Amino acid sequence: MPILGIRLRSNYRRPAFAAVFFTLFALAVRVYAADPGVSFHTATQWDLQSSFKFDAICALNMLSGDPYYLEYYKADYDRLIKQFRPKEVAAFANLKRRIKDQNGGIISASLALYFSATDAQSLDDLIRTVQDSSTMRRNLQATTYYSDEGWKLYESNRPDLEAAFRALKRIHFEEDWEKNVKPKVEQSRAAIAAKLPEYNVIPAVEAVLGSPRPTNKITVYLLYYSEPHGIKITGTRFLTHYSYPFRIVLRNAIHEMMHPPYDLSHDAELRAGLESLKSDAFLMNKVEHHDTSFGYNSLAGLEEEDSVQSLEQIIAERYSMGGDPRRYWSGQDGGIHVLAVALYSLMKQQNFDGSREPFSLFLKRQLRSGALSHGQIERLNAEFLGR
């Protein structure tokens, strides 16, 4: 399953936020610039919610026994895992083996994306959806997220996924969530909701992309079991952790609304230009040698993520939320985001703000001019990071 729209907790906090990959748009997403019925927006509408459905899906990361997530949820894992039967534990582990170990994905990101294309809310709903996924498939096929390869992977996971959801139901996981999780999330939601209306980010996002978003409404799901990720799902919606500081939630919103930052399906020149970066040894070393738990296990995934990260930094600076980008990128995800550094450096040098050209044209111009070839990405990183 392609994972579109993940990012790990950001360096804004420690300062290193592992951005876990990729993101996109709406439950009937289209190429917005091609839709004459969609116009640019002047305001941003914020909607913050808790979600049992997405928390249950994200909890599968931890329940798989993956050490990467036990760093954040060891106490919860120890409390819950002893309630499951061996076959149920095996189902959790099988999901990790197929999605992460064999396909370089993330359980929560893959499944949250797919199930966001459904109306399922309860465990019973999730079980019924796994049993008959035809509606999910039709909805996904109307978006840019669907692929036959991704669906084939989902199909291979259906038996274990049903077993996992049934196991959660058997131990009354929803009641546990209502008692131990939801009160914490709701307290955080109230505090964040009081600040968000001050930030009108949709017009800024549309300005740099050169195309309108399908709506000016941003829905933020505050979760407990999503750490350390921020995850984009269908629509102008994303998942984030309830404990993240306000600046991270805001920057996540800016970030996730920009996936995808270009339309490769209708731009052969840009497609070829990005493909040509395979010849850059410095960049490819980052793609081929990094902790796969971060995601970005393909050049295309890293190119999209780094494009969005550079744009996010430009916009965040307008709201005095820029932080220290040098410190951020030098540590984030083990320093993998070297293309983001290069793009941001070029944007600053050329005063890019979207007023003269959208990002897609800016990026093509850099590729065409050779600003990102022949060792230039490494040079720009050395200059920016002072190495």
Side-chain angles (χ1 to χ4, degrees):
M1 258 174 274
I3 310 227
L4 306 165
I6 292 187
R7 68 181 277 166
L8 292 177
R9 180 179 54 207
S10 185
N11 284 0
Y12 315 134
R13 187 184 214 182
R14 36 187 201 201
F17 173 165
V20 183
F21 6 144
F22 340 118
T23 17
L24 308 174
F25 269 89
L27 228 189
V29 155
R30 294 290 186 269
V31 177
Y32 316 129
D35 185 349
V38 178
S39 58
F40 287 85
H41 299 94
T42 59
T44 303
Q45 180 183 355
W46 294 98
D47 178 23
L48 271 72
Q49 302 180 26
S50 58
S51 172
F52 168 74
K53 161 186 168 177
F54 291 122
D55 246 333
I57 289 170
C58 288
L60 298 177
N61 283 333
M62 164 196 68
L63 294 173
S64 73
D66 188 337
Y68 184 72
Y69 298 99
L70 295 188
E71 175 186 349
Y72 305 96
Y73 295 106
K74 184 63 163 61
D76 293 287
Y77 176 82
D78 289 343
R79 176 174 62 85
L80 293 169
I81 200 66
K82 59 189 177 184
Q83 302 180 53
F84 294 109
R85 298 164 180 163
K87 287 187 177 180
E88 296 168 337
V89 173
F92 299 138
N94 287 340
L95 293 173
K96 173 184 178 292
R97 176 174 54 81
R98 290 194 201 93
I99 295 174
K100 181 177 181 178
D101 300 341
Q102 296 177 355
N103 288 278
I106 294 173
I107 295 173
S108 57
S110 300
L111 297 179
L113 175 66
Y114 272 43
F115 282 91
S116 70
T118 75
D119 294 328
Q121 296 299 325
S122 67
L123 286 171
D124 283 335
D125 293 339
L126 293 171
I127 292 168
R128 282 192 291 269
T129 300
V130 174
Q131 291 174 331
D132 180 0
S133 300
S134 56
T135 299
M136 175 198 283
R137 186 177 191 179
R138 284 196 302 272
N139 290 341
L140 283 170
Q141 286 173 326
T143 78
T144 55
Y145 300 104
Y146 180 83
S147 72
D148 289 337
E149 181 181 1
W151 188 258
K152 182 179 179 180
L153 176 57
Y154 168 75
E155 288 280 359
S156 71
N157 281 300
R158 282 174 64 186
D160 286 308
L161 192 53
E162 180 177 350
F165 288 147
R166 288 190 179 280
L168 291 177
K169 181 178 179 180
R170 186 184 63 77
I171 70 162
H172 306 290
F173 182 77
E174 187 162 3
E175 288 87 338
D176 182 273
W177 181 87
E178 289 281 350
K179 178 182 177 181
N180 297 311
V181 170
K182 190 175 182 180
K184 299 175 185 177
V185 175
E186 287 299 314
Q187 183 176 7
S188 176
R189 186 186 68 81
I192 295 173
K195 296 181 181 180
L196 280 177
E198 301 173 22
Y199 296 87
N200 186 20
V201 301
I202 287 292
V205 166
E206 293 179 339
V208 297
L209 295 184
S211 61
R213 302 296 81 186
T215 175
N216 68 336
K217 182 178 180 180
I218 300 176
T219 300
V220 183
Y221 292 102
L222 297 177
L223 306 181
Y224 177 82
Y225 288 107
S226 61
E227 200 167 19
H229 303 316
I231 300 171
K232 180 68 174 64
I233 56 176
T234 55
T236 50
R237 304 179 293 165
F238 72 96
L239 319 179
T240 193
H241 196 259
Y242 82 98
S243 73
Y244 293 166
F246 176 79
R247 67 186 182 280
I248 293 182
V249 176
L250 180 67
R251 289 194 58 148
N252 282 178
I254 294 169
H255 180 102
E256 303 302 354
M257 292 309 102
M258 290 189 288
H259 276 288
Y262 37 63
D263 177 21
L264 295 182
S265 64
H266 293 81
D267 196 329
E269 180 188 351
L270 183 55
R271 215 167 42 240
L274 290 172
E275 179 73 12
S276 72
L277 294 183
K278 281 186 176 179
S279 64
D280 189 292
F282 178 69
L283 176 60
M284 290 307 298
N285 180 61
K286 300 296 182 180
V287 175
E288 295 168 355
H289 303 96
H290 71 280
D291 185 342
T292 57
S293 293
F294 294 149
Y296 318 116
N297 297 316
S298 70
L299 176 60
L302 185 63
E303 287 171 336
E304 179 177 329
E305 174 64 22
D306 280 17
S307 294
V308 172
Q309 284 200 20
S310 62
L311 290 168
E312 173 198 341
Q313 181 64 31
I314 291 292
I315 294 177
E317 290 171 1
R318 301 181 190 178
Y319 298 101
S320 300
M321 294 283 184
D324 183 348
R326 288 175 176 80
R327 187 180 179 192
Y328 174 54
W329 276 315
S330 65
Q332 184 192 27
D333 299 337
I336 189 178
H337 299 290
V338 295
L339 181 58
V341 170
L343 289 172
Y344 174 75
S345 298
L346 293 169
M347 288 177 182
K348 298 297 283 188
Q349 291 171 14
Q350 300 173 38
N351 298 312
F352 172 83
D353 61 4
S355 62
R356 295 184 299 277
E357 61 184 347
F359 175 71
S360 60
L361 293 184
F362 171 86
L363 180 56
K364 280 194 288 188
R365 189 161 55 80
Q366 308 314 307
L367 291 164
R368 194 183 305 130
S369 70
L372 293 170
S373 62
H374 308 300
Q376 294 305 305
I377 296 175
E378 185 173 12
R379 179 187 64 79
L380 288 165
N381 272 260
E383 291 177 356
F384 182 76
L385 298 173
R387 295 174 179 170

